[in-house]
Amino acid sequence: MVALFVRYLDLVLMRLPPQAFPASRFLFGVTLLAFLLTALASNFILSHDPVYSMVRAMLSVFNLCAAAALILLVARRSARWQQTASALLGGETVIGLLVLPVLLARAMGMENVFLFTSVLLFLIWELVFLAHVYRNALDTGMGTGLLVAVIYVIASSVIKQQLMPFPVEQ
């Protein structure tokens, strides 16, 4: 498992392209489960509600997989879905695991410029990672990949916030 984590870390650091991973049902299942658990942990840290966290994590999985399917369908590259989805799920898991300490610090009441900057840098890193995967999956340039990534992140955020808004702190 550590070797797989390191390979996906190389992917999010853009040392590897997504096509370095096989189109495998097993790998897709492993990355889907890892992403679901990471999203569950992140949402639980932010909400302290296990049911809400699970539903929001499942919505994150659906958004990521459905968006990849739609984007590849429009580009007539549907055959790349499993490989692309595995790359996205695995990479997002790595980034999600690395951002967990920042979320924990925030949940414990820490609010400072360092935490704000950390969250902002993780978001930028996520966008660049998504652009990297999409430019490879779509056989296009980084600019197009970045545009697709920004549209995906905005659309996914809006969908999640409309369907499952974060609980209001009291």
Side-chain angles (χ1 to χ4, degrees):
M1 257 343 194
V2 173
L4 190 58
F5 177 84
V6 170
R7 296 242 329 143
Y8 275 104
L9 181 60
D10 283 341
L11 175 67
V12 299
L13 292 173
M14 285 161 278
R15 292 184 204 150
L16 285 177
Q19 52 270 35
F21 297 87
S24 154
R25 286 184 191 175
F26 177 75
L27 184 60
F28 174 75
V30 168
T31 57
L32 188 140
L33 181 61
F35 177 79
L36 182 65
L37 292 173
T38 304
L40 176 63
S42 299
N43 285 302
F44 185 75
I45 288 169
L46 297 171
S47 72
H48 307 291
D49 180 346
V51 174
Y52 170 87
S53 300
M54 179 53 85
V55 173
R56 191 156 168 114
M58 290 189 309
L59 185 56
S60 294
V61 169
F62 175 79
N63 281 350
L64 190 141
C65 292
L70 180 62
I71 291 163
L72 292 169
L73 179 68
V74 168
R76 292 187 166 87
R77 298 213 177 0
S78 294
R80 298 179 179 182
W81 180 81
Q82 190 173 58
Q83 193 172 30
T84 301
S86 294
L88 291 168
L89 290 164
E92 289 281 13
T93 298
V94 170
I95 293 171
L97 289 172
L98 295 174
V99 81
L100 279 178
V102 176
L103 296 178
L104 279 169
R106 232 180 134 231
M108 292 187 300
M110 293 182 189
E111 292 289 335
N112 58 41
V113 174
F114 175 73
L115 285 175
F116 176 77
T117 304
S118 296
V119 170
L120 184 61
L121 289 174
F122 274 111
L123 177 60
I124 291 168
W125 186 18
E126 179 184 21
L127 285 171
V128 172
F129 159 70
L130 291 168
H132 172 63
V133 171
Y134 278 119
R135 83 175 161 124
N136 279 283
L138 300 172
D139 290 325
T140 187
M142 191 63 162
T144 302
L146 190 56
L147 179 63
V148 170
V150 168
I151 292 168
Y152 161 73
V153 168
I154 291 171
S156 179
S157 297
V158 168
I159 289 168
K160 283 189 275 190
Q161 203 53 26
Q162 290 298 312
L163 296 176
M164 295 290 300
F166 277 112
V168 179
E169 291 184 26
Q170 298 179 18

